[in-house]
Amino acid sequence: MGRVQAIRTILLSEQLQNNNLPEEVSTMDYIDGFVAAVSNDKKEEYIEFARAAAAVFMDHGASKVVECWGDDVPPGEVTSFPKAVQCQEDETVVFSWVAWPSKEARDAGNEKVMADPRLQSVGDPPFDGKRIIFGGFQMVLEE
Amino acid sequence: MSHHVDGFAHPIPRDRLENYKQLVHAVANIWKEHGALDYWECVGDQLHMEGTLSFADMLDAKEDEAILFGWVLFDSNETREAVHKKVASDLRMEKLMAESDTGFDAARMAWGVFKPFEPSS
């Protein structure tokens, strides 16, 4: 069990003992997950873009930003990441996530990120923004 | 040596999500016992955002299915391959999968191997 999780458990058990448990207690981290296709010759550009964007996300409350460059992403028969983002031969699938301490922090943080002038000045992302898969997820397990 | 990640997404029937969560706890411990550094899994909450593609559409998920998104971290690709072999031959895995009723369908899973980096560090 991570330290943060342990602290949460203690806080939660204290709240239970005090019998003043709020209706909605967010004990899990929140994750924004992304999958996109990036042109191989734009890898360095993408890394620079990711660095600039990550700094903005972290400033607005994100706990962690992780970007993963595809190494072996099979096309699959029924479903696959490359199919879903229509990955071309000269492109690579990237798999990324932004971790937030809670859904509330995520909603507020994303709003600030969108309004942050630094993100505008970074310019257009070096990938096709129409082929990005995005989703918000509640943490089930963090081992 | 560079870290490697198995990244994946798949659907699970909502009425069996609690069974699946229990299975994941047990499975994650086995992966870590065999050398995975970390194991995360999270469940879809907001899957339809204007202007983006949806994990639900990608997986052709039905309304009564939840979307799981997760990743497993390894210290290298060599470790990743070795751990996969150990997990695949671990009899506890077979027993867990046989005894649990989660509706998990490997054929409907999207997955890949990735090299992670933290752009903010």
Side-chain angles (χ1 to χ4, degrees):
Chain A
M1 188 184 281
R3 193 189 300 167
V4 176
Q5 207 97 23
I7 291 168
R8 279 193 194 126
T9 308
I10 292 164
L11 287 174
L12 197 58
S13 66
E14 278 177 2
Q15 280 173 328
L16 281 168
Q17 279 163 16
N18 296 338
N19 204 20
N20 61 351
L21 189 68
E23 276 180 25
E24 293 279 331
V25 181
S26 180
T27 57
M28 296 290 189
D29 290 358
Y30 201 89
I31 298 287
D32 279 329
F34 307 83
V35 179
V38 180
S39 177
N40 293 334
D41 60 12
K42 286 191 177 167
K43 185 176 178 180
E44 290 309 314
E45 229 174 285
Y46 180 76
I47 290 171
E48 279 314 303
F49 174 82
R51 277 191 213 288
V56 177
F57 277 101
M58 296 297 283
D59 281 352
H60 293 306
S63 346
K64 198 173 193 176
V65 180
V66 179
E67 297 275 348
C68 303
W69 188 262
D71 190 41
D72 177 16
V73 190
E77 282 177 25
V78 181
T79 183
S80 78
F81 290 131
K83 258 190 207 166
V85 296
Q86 295 161 40
C87 191
Q88 308 298 306
E89 269 187 24
D90 59 349
E91 291 179 328
T92 297
V93 174
V94 293
F95 177 95
S96 310
W97 64 89
V98 180
W100 302 90
S102 67
K103 183 172 184 178
E104 295 70 35
R106 174 261 194 176
D107 288 344
N110 274 341
E111 214 165 286
K112 287 180 195 158
V113 167
M114 291 308 157
D116 194 307
R118 284 177 296 172
L119 204 65
Q120 316 301 329
S121 66
V122 173
D124 288 333
F127 55 86
D128 181 358
K130 288 193 283 295
R131 288 187 285 140
I132 187 167
I133 310 175
F134 171 81
F137 297 84
Q138 297 275 3
M139 189 63 82
V140 167
L141 176 80
E142 184 186 358
E143 288 286 341
Chain B
M1 193 165 78
S2 73
H3 283 76
H4 272 65
V5 160
D6 280 335
F8 55 87
H10 62 90
I12 286 290
R14 283 187 197 283
D15 61 0
R16 278 176 272 178
L17 196 54
E18 285 310 312
N19 293 355
Y20 182 75
K21 286 181 185 177
Q22 284 177 16
L23 175 70
V24 167
H25 275 91
V27 164
N29 284 332
I30 294 175
W31 278 93
K32 291 189 75 180
E33 202 183 296
H34 288 309
L37 295 178
D38 275 306
Y39 190 114
W40 291 267
E41 225 172 301
C42 39
V43 62
D45 174 58
Q46 188 185 8
L47 294 170
H48 297 280
M49 281 267 287
E50 210 184 321
T52 66
L53 303 174
S54 169
F55 283 93
D57 294 338
M58 169 180 83
L59 298 166
D60 199 16
K62 297 169 194 73
E63 273 190 18
D64 60 355
E65 289 180 320
I67 305 301
L68 279 294
F69 174 81
W71 58 94
V72 191
L73 178 69
F74 305 91
D75 64 12
S76 69
N77 200 34
E78 291 70 36
T79 304
R80 192 190 73 79
E81 285 171 359
V83 174
H84 268 260
K85 273 184 197 156
K86 286 181 193 164
V87 170
S89 61
D90 192 314
L91 295 176
R92 289 173 299 171
M93 285 293 287
E94 206 176 306
K95 192 164 179 280
L96 277 167
M97 297 306 273
E99 286 175 357
S100 62
D101 176 22
T102 65
F104 172 75
D105 180 359
R108 292 181 67 197
M109 180 163 74
W111 66 278
V113 186
F114 301 85
K115 286 184 184 176
F117 64 98
E118 278 188 58
S120 55
S121 60

